[in-house]
Amino acid sequence: MSQDEGLRPATAEEIADSLAFALRYEGRKRVAHADDIMARITADRLVRHLRGSGFVVMRAPPNRAPTDKPGEGE
């Protein structure tokens, strides 16, 4: 499988959601000083800037659930 197989341009909403999450959390731990509204405003501004600068962010398809190999689990 090639590295870019299945990639598609990410939507502005997907990028903003991901950036806003990164501004509110470090891993799974909530960052105490990050305000939800401010994180969203900052993420939206970053998305507008990236788009205006000509960036294209790609998104890979979601990971598939593992399946049994033939002959296993029988």
Side-chain angles (χ1 to χ4, degrees):
M1 175 155 101
S2 72
Q3 185 175 355
D4 60 348
E5 192 173 313
L7 293 180
R8 63 168 176 77
T11 66
E13 184 177 352
E14 290 171 330
I15 298 167
D17 286 346
S18 183
L19 290 171
F21 182 87
L23 291 167
R24 291 190 315 265
Y25 295 89
E26 190 165 332
R28 291 185 181 198
K29 183 179 178 185
R30 180 132 176 121
V31 179
H33 64 274
D35 179 65
D36 289 340
I37 295 170
M38 195 53 148
R40 188 61 196 205
I41 290 168
T42 302
D44 288 339
R45 290 199 61 199
L46 287 169
V47 169
R48 284 196 307 271
H49 176 75
L50 290 171
R51 288 249 164 134
S53 297
F55 281 86
V56 176
V57 178
M58 304 301 284
R59 183 171 180 108
N63 292 332
R64 294 185 189 150
T67 59
D68 290 334
K69 293 180 184 176
E72 290 183 5
E74 294 178 5

